[in-house]
Amino acid sequence: MDIQKESFGKLPDGTGIELYTLTNSKGLKVRIMTYGGTIVSLEVPDRNGKPGDTVLGYDSLDGYLKNNPYFGSIVGRYGNRIAKGKFTLDGITYQLAKNDGENHLHGGIKGFDKAVWTAEPVRGEGVVGVKLSYLSKDGEEGYPGNLSCTVIYTLTEENELKISYEATTDKATPVNLTSHSYFNLAGQGEGDILGNVLMLNAEAYTHVDKGLIPTGEILPVKGSPMDFTSPKAIGAQIAEVKGGYDHNFVLRGGGAGKLELAVQVYEPTSGRVMEIYTTEPGIQFYSGNFLDGTITGKGGKVYQKHYGFCLETQHFPDSPNHPNFPPTILRPGEKYTSLTVHKFSGK
Ligand code: GLA
């Protein structure tokens, strides 16, 4: 197992960005940069052991700075949308930045995906990793409290990529951290993801309005195109979902803080399998609907509609405005923790 560190260029203000490469001895290799705590590449062996990069992104820092739909980013302080960027907490109404029409999305104009994280390598028995830290200041994007965050990425010899999140605050604040990789298990840029076969361990999803804001209703997936309780190609019923999939699924085992199976994806041509386990109660399944061929990514690949899917483990969107959703408020003295494990195999 190995950890390598190199430079990945500089921000316009001269800040140096570091790139960490983690490898295990089974052919799994992930590259993570300090800008946005971003997963830049994720090489996974196929059924014959041949490695392929399974996530979308750019070859160099420049692309990430110019036009980045959250490729591989850490998302925060609050993943997904908060209606009108507004919520009331302990009698005070807070106004967050609006960056998605009238709503707040993925932490605002300068969310955690655009922060420069401090990195240090992590070594343990059978694991290599990188620990990233970021202090989100009181008032940043409108949020209350200084939020001190760490995200630890580790690779194991069982072909797992673990993402472990922690945060503490000095004022009550909503927190909902996630990771925004766009996957294609056939290989990044190798066509669309409609043939990737997905199982989502969810019997319900949160219903949304036109602006993708939850109405508060939790609907059963049964008998609808949202039903992935048995494995199904992503494309099988996508035409029946207006705009494509962009929904928060309510995980069967989720929310009790125990690591539970949320997802299994199988890609028939490569034989790659990815399982996702999480302690979170929800997962946003987004089928890359807004990709439209205007981005040229790694290796000159043009990313068309549905060229990647995201599976963002999370608390439900807009939870601060829905008392019936699992709570997302972190208070001084408490610790936010969240763990997601991606396990890779071939068949
Ligand atoms: C999330 C959202 C989508 C979209 C993408 C980023 O998955 O749910 O609506 O904003 O992020 O493009």
Side-chain angles (χ1 to χ4, degrees):
M1 308 191 90
D2 190 36
I3 309 175
Q4 295 285 338
K5 176 184 154 184
E6 64 199 280
S7 163
F8 200 56
K10 282 190 171 132
L11 299 186
D13 72 1
T15 307
I17 300 302
E18 296 164 354
L19 182 75
Y20 280 78
T21 303
L22 312 177
T23 44
N24 74 359
S25 66
K26 307 280 161 61
L28 200 62
K29 174 172 169 178
V30 61
R31 294 191 305 146
I32 291 152
M33 68 160 159
T34 51
Y35 181 75
T38 306
I39 296 175
V40 173
S41 65
L42 176 58
E43 283 182 31
V44 178
D46 68 7
R47 63 161 74 84
N48 302 314
K50 190 173 157 258
D53 187 1
T54 58
V55 294
L56 276 52
Y58 290 104
D59 286 321
S60 65
L61 181 60
D62 201 43
Y64 290 95
L65 300 180
K66 282 195 180 128
N67 179 16
N68 182 17
Y70 307 94
F71 286 148
S73 311
I74 295 171
V75 170
R77 184 178 298 200
Y78 197 96
N80 214 279
R81 292 174 177 80
I82 295 181
K84 301 193 169 66
K86 219 183 219 172
F87 64 93
T88 301
L89 177 56
D90 299 337
I92 302 168
T93 298
Y94 293 93
Q95 180 63 61
L96 305 173
K98 294 178 184 176
N99 61 325
D100 186 54
E102 60 171 3
N103 300 318
H104 177 85
L105 173 67
H106 291 335
I109 296 160
K110 187 171 184 263
F112 290 9
D113 57 292
K114 294 177 190 72
V116 179
W117 295 66
T118 305
E120 53 179 287
V122 175
R123 285 173 207 274
E125 181 112 0
V127 298
V128 284
V130 58
K131 178 180 175 182
L132 302 175
S133 312
Y134 175 61
L135 175 67
S136 168
K137 295 259 173 67
D138 187 11
E140 189 179 283
E141 300 298 309
Y143 287 101
N146 291 294
L147 186 74
S148 169
C149 307
T150 61
V151 177
I152 305 177
Y153 289 102
T154 45
L155 284 192
T156 70
E157 289 289 55
E158 286 73 51
N159 271 358
E160 294 164 319
L161 168 65
K162 296 189 177 181
I163 313 176
S164 161
Y165 309 81
E166 282 187 9
T168 53
T169 186
D170 59 5
K171 278 184 197 164
T173 178
V175 182
N176 188 30
L177 306 183
T178 191
S179 169
H180 208 295
S181 286
Y182 287 66
F183 295 95
N184 182 353
L185 296 187
Q188 72 90 22
E190 299 294 324
D192 65 47
I193 47 77
L194 301 178
N196 284 232
V197 179
L198 174 67
M199 187 286 294
L200 273 175
N201 198 7
E203 277 162 4
Y205 68 102
T206 47
H207 181 248
V208 284
D209 67 15
K210 276 201 199 95
L212 298 174
I213 297 293
T215 59
E217 278 174 287
I218 293 179
L219 299 181
V221 297
K222 210 176 161 81
S224 83
M226 310 299 278
D227 192 350
F228 285 93
T229 51
S230 299
K232 179 171 85 181
I234 291 174
Q237 290 184 286
I238 198 169
E240 298 166 48
V241 184
K242 208 164 177 253
Y245 294 102
D246 195 353
H247 296 83
N248 170 66
F249 286 76
V250 178
L251 293 171
R252 255 183 197 146
K258 253 185 76 203
L259 205 55
E260 301 274 2
L261 178 70
V263 171
Q264 189 177 58
V265 193
Y266 167 64
E267 199 287 307
T269 62
S270 64
R272 290 192 186 92
V273 176
M274 174 172 71
E275 286 174 330
I276 302 179
Y277 298 80
T278 187
T279 57
E280 287 296 309
I283 195 160
Q284 185 81 12
F285 168 42
Y286 167 60
S287 53
N289 314 323
F290 303 127
L291 297 174
D292 59 3
T294 52
I295 289 180
T296 300
K298 287 183 276 189
K301 302 280 188 184
V302 176
Y303 299 146
Q304 306 287 356
K305 190 169 180 179
H306 305 316
Y307 262 44
F309 62 83
C310 303
L311 289 162
E312 305 152 63
T313 55
Q314 61 180 11
H315 272 60
F316 306 170
D318 200 30
S319 294
N321 293 309
H322 295 278
N324 60 321
F325 289 175
T328 53
I329 305 301
L330 181 74
R331 294 181 181 277
E334 297 174 345
K335 189 187 259 183
Y336 168 92
T337 59
S338 174
L339 176 64
T340 293
V341 178
H342 298 251
K343 188 171 171 57
F344 297 94
S345 55
K347 75 171 183 193

